[in-house]
Amino acid sequence: MTDYLPPIALLNKALSHPVGQIDDGGSVDIEVDVLKQLIACLAKAYSLDEADYAAVFRAGETGWQGYTGVADHFQRVGYIAGAQHMSRNFDAVWYLQTYPDVAQQIADGAYSDAQTHYRQRGQYEWRAPNAAAVPVVRAWRLVLGELAPA
Amino acid sequence: MSTRILENAQAYLDHGGVDRDLITRYMGTPIYHPEELIDLYELASGLDRKRLFPLIDPAHYAVAYRMKPDENLLADYLSVPPDQRVHPHPLVDLRFMRHMRPDFAQDFRDHRDFAALIKLNLVAMGPYLRRPARRGGCAGLSGLLKLMTGEGDLSEVSELFDPDQYRMCAGFVPAGEHAALMHFVTRGDAAGYAPGPLFDPVAYRRTYATPDAPITHPTRHFLWHGQFNGFKARPKPQRPVAQTNAIFTPPAEYHALHARLMAVQRAPADISQLPPPGTSLGSRTTKLPADIDLILLDGDNAATSKTYAKDSAPYVLLASPDIVLSEKAAERLREALVAQPSVAMAVPMVIGVDGTHAATGLRLSPDGGMHPDVTPQTQAPMALMGCVLLRRSAVGPNLFGSGFRTAAFAGADLSLRLRQDGHRLAFFPEVRASLTTTPADGACGLPAALDGAHDIMQVLDRWRGQIAADSKIRVFARLGVLWSGGGSGLPGWDTLWRGASLHADHQPPGRPGELGFYDDRVPDVLTAQMALAQDHGISGFVLDHYRFAERSFHDHVFRNILAVQSAPSAFALGWRVADSARMAGYAGQRARFDAQTVAGVAQDIRALATSGRAITVDGRPLFVVHDAQFLPDGAVVGALRRRLADSGIHPHILVAQDSEGDVPEWASGDLVDGVLEHPLACWAITPQRRVQGTEQGVPGDVRDFSGLALARATQRDLAQDMVRCIPVGHDDSALGQSPSRILYGATPDAFQATLDAALRDVDARCTGDKRMLVIDAWNDWARGAYLEPDGRHGRARLVAVRNALNSFTSPHAVPQADAPVLAVHLHAYYPEVAADVVEAVAALDMPVHLFVSTPQDRADQVHAHLRRCGLPHTLHVMRNHGRDILPFLSLVPEIHAQGHDVVLKLHSKKSPHRGDGANWAADLLAALTDRAKLTDALHILRDDPSFGVVAPEGHVLPLDGFTGENRNHLLELLARSGLDPRSVRAEGTFVAGSMFLARISALLPLLNLGLTEQDFEDERGQVNGTMAHAVERMIGVSCAAAGMDVRIMGTARNNALKIAQFYQPEVE
């Protein structure tokens, strides 16, 4: 969660929109670097499970050179590079109660636990990590799902 | 057309919910506007509608959402949010989607979201569709479209569904795998058909359905809920012990078949060949061979002894004066003595004056001795129809020694003496003698014996244990190998799934009950089978054995037999010659049974013989050769004998008949010791049965079980060395042979009648260890020949074996026709009400015996009431389970065993859920404890065999209209008893209130279901819908199924009037 949202004029300016306003439609040319930084700003609002990230990424062993910490590494390079990540608010109990087929697959031994399922499969199937995240996941699904090729 | 509909149509056009290419092909031009889609839908034919918009199944949708014929279904669908049309297609169910993905619920409120969602293809659209795979989605709309138009295969459908197997199970399924799928989804699942071999709906429903949550669609329930809750797709039924399915009072059909069998068996075929009366030995007109002296038993012991001492021929014919024995018959007896030096006494079959086979009264014990015995029916000593040929050298100079008391026991003492001296006695049923007078006339040789009842009893007492042991007939069952690992050519469990109903009248072989679809590689399975066999009087198994050259096939059961810790059963090997050769790849080559094969078989026989688990005949291990005609000659059997003789083993070899009843020519003489009857011998001469309703085409080759039994019985000239083999049933329709051979009417009671008659035949013909019989088969499920418990009759076939053995060995168990005492079953749940009932019964002032059942915690109270009333009673403390019904079903066999064939069923009724509970019960009770009315009812049952149940007026209802919540249980019970629910529904009678007077045989169809504790729900105060309520409704059905009617106490008019007072038909 964040307490600041930049005025749209600033975004428009940064995107150098040829016509003027984003809501005019059409398409936008954007510097990859600018997009990366925008994504990093999105990732800042993410409740990253830092311990999990550090454990998975194993970078902690050599220190986070050039980064202020685990979160900074994730936001600036890790996320875009496709590093594994989990929310620290992942609710395994809710997850298993909500998705009967997941519980069954874990019972069958296909996955060791809810986290593993979510990491390997659930997140790609637009499953939510907890009850509160359902609307957010849905919003993302409506945005990205429809963009994806059928 | 509203904007909303158009917007929604556009959503599906945008997201691919409709197939634009297909529309282009159909229209010749692409469509751009949603109006076009909706208009097109209106014009399109049924199949095209499915293509245009696959989410809607027009026929289903119109019914589900009550559409008018001319309404545009698509417009209707698009006019409301998707979550108001949750089930637009039999395969699609939004509730299921929401169950799987609760987080998608929001997307069901808007067509645009919904169309986007199904395009993503993340969740199966209905329970019957396959769930998303690891990579890639599930059926989705395009899959549905392909399914609907028949273009796709069934890869998008749950793997439980197998169209071919489903078709064979369900029958009347339209052609095509998609049509089969739709048939299953719309009808088959609700009807309880299995979708394929991976799911067992019957066991599933029985295991997981509860009264609160009945399972209407077992497969759907499993796919929707069960699989996520750890339910098993093929739950193994766990039934501790089925106690109640006794066939003790056989119904009319049993008596009819049994009587016919006995009549056929006893009527001599060659009575014309017997010498005419007047040529009896007493008249001295019969010429006997010169080396036979005739001594007539005239009752004077001293005179007889004197005659014996005077004569000198090497053989002595000891006979009553009224015996007729032809010279030829005497010669045959003499030849037998010449041929067998160890035999000292040869006994012919004696035929009575009326042409029936008279029991000879001789029983030979396993060690070759003979002792006095009684025939169960008459208790007449053996000497009554004495006619024996003796070897003089075995007897010595004096016929009767000093210990000889009366002439009555001539045979007894003589035979004992012979046995003590180490001689054998042999019975030759093929040699016939006849009596010219009936024994009752007193004209036969030893009338004095009948006067001395005291002496008879003394002899019987002395030999009681021996008599029981010697009169025993060993019953074996053929044990097949079921687990075959696929591709082996053995019909196993998988064959069962191919079993299909060939026509309305045909029930394919049943599915296993108690033991489940077991894996016979597991030693515990063998242990369980042996325990079951032991409990029901089957003392051993003849195991199907496959051996060729150095190779052994499917010998895991054999290895288990050798390895298992303790074996209460004995075993013999039944070598399947043709199958063994086929498995070894030598099909059709008769000559390949060489030394290696002989060595292998000999090794197996030796292993079994030395394990001490072999069935022996006179100490020799039994060995059966099936398909002997496949062997080129007797050389293989000869070599086998020689080889085994080297290790000191002399097998008793039986050659099995082929299905024509023939054995190869070489199978005679010293090579084989006997012939095993083919279970279906005489099939060809059994009249064919006409089958009704053969819509499905070939009905198969159908014969009646009883017809076959009678045909076999008419072939009564069975040689002594023929071992009987009795079929349990036969239906090989699942094996896919054409035409299928099917035996109709192979019910447990018909089986019992056949078995009982066969036991009597064995009793009359065989002696010693040869008193044995084989049942075909223990577990030939694929051919519908099995004793093992199944879902239809439980243990009834096993119980039939036990009953047949019991009625054979204990004549006193035969129930009395008119028990002067009325048996009353009272289930005392409410002790204070029970006290009133007991008082009412006491007030009847009739001779009664109370059989009272009660739960543990009320036993003391009930006992106190019973003591006070002073009526003869037996109190049975039982678990509080199955209401009054299960205790009643469990006690009926015992009530019957005590000689009752009518029972008055009462219980301490108090229906807390009914306002008029007390009145209602009082009305029932008043009618049944009214002396005049009850006496009338008893007279009705005694005088008119067409009535099976008598119930009070006002409580006999039509079954139709009173099934309600009990429908599922009732259907299950009907399915188990093989009754047609439609006719039962239309004609069935419901004897309400569960108090009535019944002839026990009318309850037989119900008892035959073998209901156990497991079938009844736990007690939770349910007011309706339990198994007990369903069984209550089965009383009248059972009566009808036994061929009897329900009689109303009083008049039908009053019944109708009073019904309204107590019952309101449910509106279904």
Side-chain angles (χ1 to χ4, degrees):
Chain A
M1 283 297 116
T2 171
D3 296 329
Y4 175 74
L5 197 59
I8 195 67
L10 295 184
L11 258 180
N12 276 333
K13 194 176 164 202
L15 291 173
S16 335
H17 196 272
V19 181
Q21 305 294 323
I22 293 179
D23 64 354
D24 285 347
S27 61
V28 166
D29 275 333
I30 186 166
E31 294 284 329
V32 169
D33 208 40
V34 175
L35 183 65
K36 275 188 179 172
Q37 287 177 41
L38 282 175
I39 290 173
C41 288
L42 274 178
K44 269 195 179 39
Y46 179 56
S47 57
L48 177 73
D49 183 341
E50 296 190 10
D52 169 79
Y53 183 77
V56 170
F57 214 63
R58 291 179 151 264
E61 291 163 17
T62 53
W64 301 97
Q65 295 115 334
Y67 301 98
T68 58
V70 181
D72 190 41
H73 182 272
F74 170 74
Q75 289 150 13
R76 284 167 56 195
V77 293
Y79 175 57
I80 291 168
Q84 290 280 8
H85 60 85
M86 285 289 284
S87 163
R88 61 177 169 264
N89 297 325
F90 182 81
D91 185 344
V93 175
W94 175 86
Y95 192 73
L96 293 183
Q97 280 174 352
T98 307
Y99 302 120
D101 51 334
V102 175
Q104 186 206 11
Q105 288 175 51
I106 289 172
D108 290 351
Y111 299 93
S112 57
D113 53 26
Q115 278 88 348
T116 312
H117 181 275
Y118 179 76
R119 215 192 284 281
Q120 293 182 4
R121 190 161 170 198
Q123 58 180 337
Y124 302 107
E125 293 176 345
W126 300 106
R127 294 189 200 257
N130 61 39
V134 169
V136 185
V137 176
R138 179 166 182 269
W140 275 107
R141 170 162 55 80
L142 292 178
V143 174
L144 300 182
E146 293 186 31
L147 294 178
Chain B
M1 213 175 289
S2 81
T3 339
R4 189 211 239 166
I5 294 177
L6 296 180
E7 278 171 11
N8 289 339
Q10 187 66 49
Y12 287 98
L13 284 171
D14 290 348
H15 290 291
V18 291
D19 187 336
R20 281 172 176 275
D21 292 346
L22 203 116
I23 294 170
T24 309
R25 248 186 294 156
Y26 184 84
M27 292 284 289
T29 167
I31 57 168
Y32 299 100
H33 302 291
E35 294 93 328
E36 292 170 307
L37 176 67
I38 292 165
D39 291 343
L40 192 54
Y41 194 85
E42 184 134 18
L43 296 172
S45 67
L47 180 62
D48 286 323
R49 283 186 183 181
K50 291 182 188 176
R51 287 180 175 144
L52 278 175
F53 200 79
L55 206 52
I56 292 177
D57 179 78
H60 172 86
Y61 189 93
V63 174
Y65 297 106
R66 303 208 172 122
M67 305 304 293
K68 297 189 192 82
D70 55 343
E71 235 169 324
N72 188 327
L73 307 181
L74 181 57
D76 173 77
Y77 177 75
L78 297 171
S79 65
V80 292
D83 59 3
Q84 291 189 25
R85 296 285 185 263
V86 293
H87 196 28
H89 189 288
L91 288 170
V92 174
D93 197 323
L94 265 61
R95 290 164 299 186
F96 175 77
M97 296 176 79
R98 192 179 53 206
H99 177 75
M100 297 300 289
R101 294 298 300 264
D103 48 337
F104 288 167
Q106 183 70 33
D107 297 281
F108 299 153
R109 298 195 185 142
D110 182 85
H111 280 286
R112 179 157 285 277
D113 293 343
F114 184 64
L117 181 69
I118 53 184
K119 184 182 163 198
L120 276 176
N121 224 358
L122 285 170
V123 54
M125 296 177 73
Y128 299 106
L129 298 172
R130 194 180 284 257
R131 282 156 56 198
R134 174 78 178 81
R135 292 181 200 288
C138 41
L141 268 191
S142 57
L144 207 55
L145 176 66
K146 283 187 184 148
L147 270 181
M148 289 310 97
T149 51
E151 287 166 20
D153 54 19
L154 292 186
S155 61
E156 301 293 354
V157 176
S158 164
E159 64 276 10
L160 294 188
F161 184 73
D162 179 330
D164 296 332
Q165 302 213 359
Y166 172 68
R167 184 181 307 287
M168 294 199 233
C169 284
F172 306 112
V173 177
E177 53 183 14
H178 299 85
L181 172 68
M182 295 314 287
H183 183 274
F184 172 68
V185 169
T186 52
R187 294 193 197 90
D189 196 8
Y193 292 126
L198 299 175
F199 185 75
D200 182 348
V202 177
Y204 184 83
R205 192 183 264 164
R206 188 182 302 149
T207 310
Y208 300 115
T210 64
D212 308 331
I215 295 176
T216 55
H217 297 67
T219 307
R220 188 178 74 189
H221 187 274
F222 173 74
L223 292 168
W224 195 320
H225 305 284
Q227 61 171 336
F228 305 123
N229 292 318
F231 290 5
K232 299 261 186 304
R234 291 189 296 178
K236 204 172 163 182
Q238 293 178 334
R239 319 178 133 213
V241 189
Q243 300 273 9
T244 55
N245 51 344
I247 307 170
F248 36 87
T249 295
E253 292 80 31
Y254 170 94
H255 284 309
L257 176 58
H258 191 257
R260 285 172 73 193
L261 281 171
M262 292 313 291
V264 168
Q265 230 164 256
R266 286 180 173 234
D270 53 355
I271 193 166
S272 59
Q273 292 167 22
L274 291 172
T279 56
S280 70
L281 294 168
S283 67
R284 305 261 174 187
T285 52
T286 311
K287 194 169 158 284
L288 288 176
D291 54 354
I292 296 182
D293 281 338
L294 173 67
I295 298 181
L296 291 175
L297 295 164
D298 56 3
D300 183 348
N301 176 27
T304 309
S305 286
K306 211 149 100 192
T307 321
Y308 174 81
K310 194 181 70 196
D311 293 335
S312 60
Y315 302 102
V316 181
L317 185 68
L318 209 54
S320 304
D322 54 350
I323 288 280
V324 179
L325 185 76
S326 68
E327 185 182 358
K328 210 171 150 198
E331 275 172 1
R332 283 179 67 188
L333 288 179
R334 186 196 55 192
E335 281 162 19
L337 288 183
V338 172
Q340 301 178 48
S342 64
V343 174
M345 184 191 275
V347 185
M349 166 80 82
V350 179
I351 293 168
V353 72
D354 53 353
T356 57
H357 288 206
T360 61
L362 289 173
R363 297 216 196 271
L364 309 193
S365 67
D367 56 348
M370 183 171 72
H371 59 74
D373 193 5
V374 292
T375 54
Q377 291 81 8
T378 59
Q379 291 208 343
M382 54 74 67
L384 206 63
M385 298 154 206
C387 177
V388 297
L389 186 68
L390 284 173
R391 184 194 303 281
R392 187 183 288 270
S393 61
V395 182
N398 293 309
L399 185 57
F400 303 121
S402 56
F404 198 83
R405 287 187 54 217
T406 76
F409 303 116
D413 259 6
L414 193 58
S415 63
L416 285 175
R417 194 136 28 107
L418 289 170
R419 187 177 63 168
Q420 282 159 1
D421 291 349
H423 298 289
R424 285 176 60 211
L425 300 97
F427 173 48
F428 296 92
E430 68 274 22
V431 180
R432 301 284 163 78
S434 62
L435 273 173
T436 52
T437 49
T438 54
D441 291 349
C444 71
L446 304 162
L450 294 173
D451 300 333
H454 175 71
D455 295 334
I456 294 172
M457 291 318 291
Q458 261 193 339
V459 173
L460 289 179
D461 271 351
R462 196 166 133 210
W463 292 97
R464 184 161 306 220
Q466 188 73 36
I467 291 168
D470 291 353
S471 58
K472 186 176 156 67
I473 296 179
R474 292 186 293 172
V475 172
F476 308 125
R478 180 168 75 78
L479 179 66
V481 180
L482 282 174
W483 186 86
S484 52
S488 66
L490 277 187
W493 291 128
D494 48 333
T495 317
L496 269 192
W497 296 103
R498 277 181 252 135
S501 187
L502 296 180
H503 35 78
D505 212 13
H506 171 231
Q507 277 196 326
R511 302 281 156 85
E514 216 169 311
L515 296 177
F517 289 93
Y518 55 77
D519 178 344
D520 57 11
R521 290 170 299 174
V522 179
D524 288 352
V525 167
L526 181 67
T527 311
Q529 288 171 327
M530 289 192 294
L532 262 186
Q534 195 72 8
D535 283 352
H536 296 90
I538 296 160
S539 53
F541 295 99
V542 180
L543 173 69
D544 282 351
H545 191 62
Y546 304 94
R547 181 89 192 202
F548 189 90
E550 73 279 13
R551 294 180 63 192
S552 206
F553 305 89
H554 311 300
D555 57 350
H556 48 273
V557 178
F558 182 50
R559 279 185 271 116
N560 282 344
I561 289 169
L562 296 178
V564 78
Q565 286 289 322
S566 68
S569 306
F571 294 89
L573 292 178
W575 186 27
R576 315 234 39 136
V577 174
D579 281 343
S580 304
R582 182 169 54 78
M583 286 170 191
Y586 288 101
Q589 299 176 35
R590 301 171 94 214
R592 292 300 298 258
F593 291 86
D594 50 12
Q596 267 184 319
T597 306
V598 170
V601 175
Q603 186 191 330
D604 292 337
I605 297 175
R606 200 180 307 121
L608 187 59
T610 50
S611 72
R613 283 162 193 188
I615 296 172
T616 58
V617 177
D618 298 329
R620 302 155 61 194
L622 181 69
F623 180 67
V624 180
V625 182
H626 293 282
D627 317 312
Q629 67 281 5
F630 203 78
L631 296 173
D633 50 43
V636 175
V637 175
L640 196 59
R641 274 200 186 284
R642 281 192 298 280
R643 192 153 187 124
L644 283 165
D646 292 345
S647 32
I649 293 169
H650 302 278
H652 185 89
I653 299 182
L654 297 182
V655 166
Q657 290 180 334
D658 61 15
S659 55
E660 310 286 315
D662 298 327
V663 291
E665 276 178 26
W666 56 261
S668 58
D670 294 337
L671 270 182
V672 299
D673 299 283
V675 171
L676 179 66
E677 191 182 22
H678 191 279
L680 301 183
C682 301
W683 181 279
I685 60 167
T686 306
Q688 246 181 324
R689 183 192 159 106
R690 274 175 195 283
V691 182
Q692 298 292 320
T694 53
E695 292 91 336
Q696 285 273 299
V698 191
D701 182 0
V702 182
R703 319 266 165 151
D704 262 322
F705 185 83
S706 49
L708 181 74
L710 284 164
R712 288 149 60 93
T714 49
Q715 294 224 323
R716 357 163 316 312
D717 272 333
L718 300 173
Q720 190 192 3
D721 59 5
M722 164 79 83
V723 175
R724 297 295 306 267
C725 183
I726 306 302
V728 191
H730 189 87
D731 181 343
D732 55 18
S733 57
L735 292 179
Q737 288 155 354
S738 185
S740 306
R741 300 219 275 186
I742 299 167
L743 271 185
Y744 264 45
T747 57
D749 38 279
F751 169 61
Q752 186 181 324
T754 317
L755 183 61
D756 193 86
L759 286 170
R760 284 166 209 283
D761 169 49
V762 173
D763 182 45
R765 269 189 316 114
C766 303
T767 53
D769 270 9
K770 288 180 182 152
R771 291 165 69 83
M772 61 181 170
L773 178 151
V774 179
I775 296 173
D776 192 281
W778 174 263
N779 61 348
D780 200 342
W781 288 90
R783 291 188 183 82
Y786 50 86
L787 286 171
E788 283 180 338
D790 72 355
R792 223 173 265 154
H793 293 292
R795 292 185 175 192
R797 287 176 202 78
L798 286 166
V799 173
V801 175
R802 195 173 58 197
N803 289 339
L805 283 168
N806 281 349
S807 80
F808 171 70
T809 50
S810 54
H812 302 294
V814 176
Q816 306 293 311
D818 292 308
V821 176
L822 173 64
V824 181
H825 173 256
L826 167 63
H827 183 66
Y829 184 73
Y830 298 104
E832 65 283 3
V833 182
D836 298 343
V837 178
V838 170
E839 261 176 42
V841 172
L844 275 175
D845 195 24
M846 285 163 75
V848 296
H849 187 108
L850 274 171
F851 294 84
V852 184
S853 54
T854 188
Q856 179 73 53
D857 54 337
R858 295 149 203 237
D860 291 345
Q861 253 180 298
V862 173
H863 196 213
H865 289 314
L866 283 174
R867 264 204 309 259
R868 215 171 305 134
C869 78
L871 291 172
H873 62 263
T874 343
L875 181 65
H876 298 264
V877 180
M878 298 188 163
R879 255 190 77 199
N880 180 23
H881 196 83
R883 300 288 161 98
D884 55 313
I885 297 289
L886 183 59
F888 175 64
L889 294 181
S890 335
L891 278 180
V892 167
E894 184 182 327
I895 294 172
H896 185 77
Q898 299 199 8
H900 302 279
D901 54 7
V902 167
V903 60
L904 173 63
K905 181 181 177 317
L906 303 174
H907 62 129
S908 62
K909 190 138 200 145
K910 190 160 139 186
S911 289
H913 68 285
R914 287 180 67 122
D916 62 344
N919 268 339
W920 178 46
D923 187 75
L924 280 160
L925 194 64
L928 287 167
T929 51
D930 179 289
R931 190 184 154 90
K933 285 183 185 172
L934 188 61
T935 312
D936 277 353
L938 284 166
H939 282 169
I940 289 168
L941 285 187
R942 197 191 57 199
D943 300 339
D944 191 344
S946 67
F947 290 112
V949 172
V950 186
E953 65 185 9
H955 302 277
V956 179
L957 317 177
L959 188 60
D960 196 13
F962 292 93
T963 50
E965 295 167 53
N966 304 298
R967 194 159 173 275
N968 287 334
H969 276 320
L970 199 56
L971 285 176
E972 186 195 326
L973 290 174
L974 291 177
R976 272 169 76 167
S977 44
L979 297 171
D980 179 2
R982 284 164 302 181
S983 63
V984 169
R985 219 178 119 83
E987 298 158 20
T989 309
F990 167 28
V991 181
S994 183
M995 294 200 222
F996 50 80
L997 183 71
R999 194 192 299 280
I1000 288 178
S1001 52
L1003 303 173
L1004 198 69
L1006 177 59
L1007 292 161
N1008 271 350
L1009 294 178
L1011 294 173
T1012 63
E1013 266 197 16
Q1014 213 63 31
D1015 291 299
F1016 290 84
E1017 298 83 356
D1018 285 330
E1019 195 52 58
R1020 284 199 302 265
Q1022 305 93 327
V1023 298
N1024 205 352
T1026 68
M1027 181 54 100
H1029 288 98
V1031 174
E1032 198 182 336
R1033 281 154 178 79
M1034 280 292 285
I1035 300 286
V1037 176
S1038 173
C1039 180
M1044 297 177 231
D1045 291 329
V1046 174
R1047 172 72 184 250
I1048 298 164
M1049 290 170 97
T1051 65
R1053 190 183 131 77
N1054 284 350
N1055 183 53
L1057 290 175
K1058 278 179 79 175
I1059 285 176
Q1061 184 185 338
F1062 291 114
Y1063 306 92
Q1064 288 183 327
E1066 291 139 9
V1067 182
E1068 280 191 67

